[in-house]
Amino acid sequence: MKTAVFPGSFDPVTVGHMDLIARSAGMFDRLVIGVLVNSGKSPLFSIEERVNMLACLTEKFSNVSVKSFEGLLVDFVVQERAGVIVRGLRSPQDFEYELPLAQANYKLRCNADTVFLATSPEYSYISSSGVKEIYRFGGDITSMVPKLVAEKLQDVC
Ligand code: PNS
């Protein structure tokens, strides 16, 4: 069974993330979404909220599960018996950032390969940090996040 981990902060999950989840769920037998517990970042949504939202949004995929993780990604990958890490690339700048991380992860655990998926062009400008900033200043983020997230954002901001 080929298992992949799709890690991230998902604060909040965007339509770009959802596109990558749908595409990678079709490529692997099992896809585990790993939501980083990152206490240093003071997230907009708590870890429970992020996990619950993602669980709700991925209900229709029978091979997708959502879990939180702390510490090193490679340890989570081993825990989940996964061989692949999935990351999206929106731009060459993303690749510059992601390549050393992928290489470090491979060095840390030689069975942890990273597979990069090119973000669909219509989503390449979308980032979680951009969504947060646009929303904070009253911009319309409804096309950038799933409906559930837009509704939840109304509650927290
Ligand atoms: O959605 P993000 O914030 O771009 O995701 C970043 C993430 C979670 C993939 C990255 O920060 C990560 O892997 N953190 C876990 C700590 C870790 O393993 N660091 C070493 C990377 S070489």
Side-chain angles (χ1 to χ4, degrees), residues 22-86:
R23 287 162 56 200
S24 41
M27 290 176 195
F28 300 97
D29 301 310
R30 192 172 148 254
L31 180 71
V32 183
I33 302 175
V35 187
L36 180 68
V37 179
N38 193 347
S39 51
K41 260 190 174 177
S42 65
L44 178 61
F45 289 117
S46 70
I47 187 66
E48 290 79 17
E49 287 172 315
R50 283 177 279 153
V51 167
N52 289 342
M53 272 189 273
L54 272 160
C56 208
L57 292 164
T58 56
E59 237 174 4
K60 62 181 174 207
F61 302 108
S62 58
N63 63 336
V64 175
S65 56
V66 185
K67 298 181 183 180
S68 60
F69 76 99
E70 271 181 281
L72 286 179
L73 172 58
V74 285
D75 290 337
F76 181 64
V77 168
V78 170
Q79 182 193 307
E80 292 302 318
R81 297 176 193 279
V84 174
I85 297 164
V86 176

Side-chain angles (χ1 to χ4, degrees), residues 93-111:
Q93 289 74 26
D94 272 359
F95 183 68
E96 273 182 28
Y97 172 78
E98 293 288 342
L99 182 62
L101 294 187
Q103 290 168 328
N105 282 330
Y106 188 80
K107 185 80 182 162
L108 286 166
R109 294 274 177 191
C110 64
N111 60 348

Side-chain angles (χ1 to χ4, degrees), residues 12 44 127-139 141:
L44 178 61
S127 68
S128 295
S129 51
V131 165
K132 279 185 280 199
E133 186 155 307
I134 292 165
Y135 194 77
R136 197 173 301 128
F137 291 111
I141 46 76

Side-chain angles (χ1 to χ4, degrees), residues 15-17 19-20 90 119-127 143:
V15 288
H17 290 132
D19 175 55
L20 291 170
R90 292 165 299 190
T119 298
S120 299
E122 65 268 38
Y123 304 135
S124 60
Y125 68 97
I126 299 172
S127 68
S143 63

